Amino acid sequence: MNIYVGLFLLFIALFVAYRVIKIRNQFRQSVTREQQVMQYYATGIKSWPSVAAILDSVEVQNSNAQTDKFTLATKLTFTINNQQYSCTQSPYSVLTTSAKSAAMSLRDDIINSDEYAVYYNPVDTKESFYVFNGFLSWSDYERLLKRPD
């Protein structure tokens, strides 16, 4: 009988360890995605030239119909050598947030901004990236919204 109790406790311990490792790995994957975007911005895009742009649209989109995850879709137009290009890439189109209020507030901040700048790849001008307010992660932006003034 004692061997069955021991095996049961061993099974419970292994199951708990498995769940802890799985949850930790899921957390690492989500942090890694944000860090990749930050690294892409810090190393690649900041070395690109920037140009003034015109905001065409910005809207909050539900990134997954089954969960409440939101992204921000921005579209800007910029001109290089008398040729117009569109920019739809930004950190907020890659990362998601579960706080719709944060996405709506950021959308309003972008709409009310006076100037827009797009970083573009000088080798391939079609490749461009929009960074708002020097880029904050969604979690940083959500903390800013919660901070009392």
Side-chain angles (χ1 to χ4, degrees), residues 136 140-149:
L136 299 169
D140 288 342
Y141 193 78
E142 289 169 5
R143 273 188 236 119
L144 283 175
L145 291 175
K146 293 176 185 174
R147 185 173 22 175
D149 290 330

Side-chain angles (χ1 to χ4, degrees), residues 4 7 14 16 30 41 54 73 84 86 93 108 112 115 134 140:
Y4 294 116
L7 287 174
L14 289 173
V16 168
S30 67
Y41 165 65
I54 298 170
Q84 276 197 333
S86 291
S93 63
D108 294 344
N112 295 324
E115 298 177 355
D140 288 342

Side-chain angles (χ1 to χ4, degrees), residues 23-61:
I23 291 169
R24 187 185 70 203
N25 287 341
Q26 287 175 340
F27 177 74
R28 281 185 179 165
Q29 288 172 350
S30 67
V31 170
T32 301
R33 186 171 182 198
E34 185 168 322
Q35 288 173 340
Q36 287 173 343
V37 172
M38 300 258 312
Q39 182 179 10
Y40 179 63
Y41 165 65
T43 58
I45 293 170
K46 275 200 152 182
S47 65
W48 291 354
S50 64
V51 64
I54 298 170
L55 180 65
D56 292 333
S57 64
V58 57
E59 60 185 49
V60 175
Q61 294 181 338

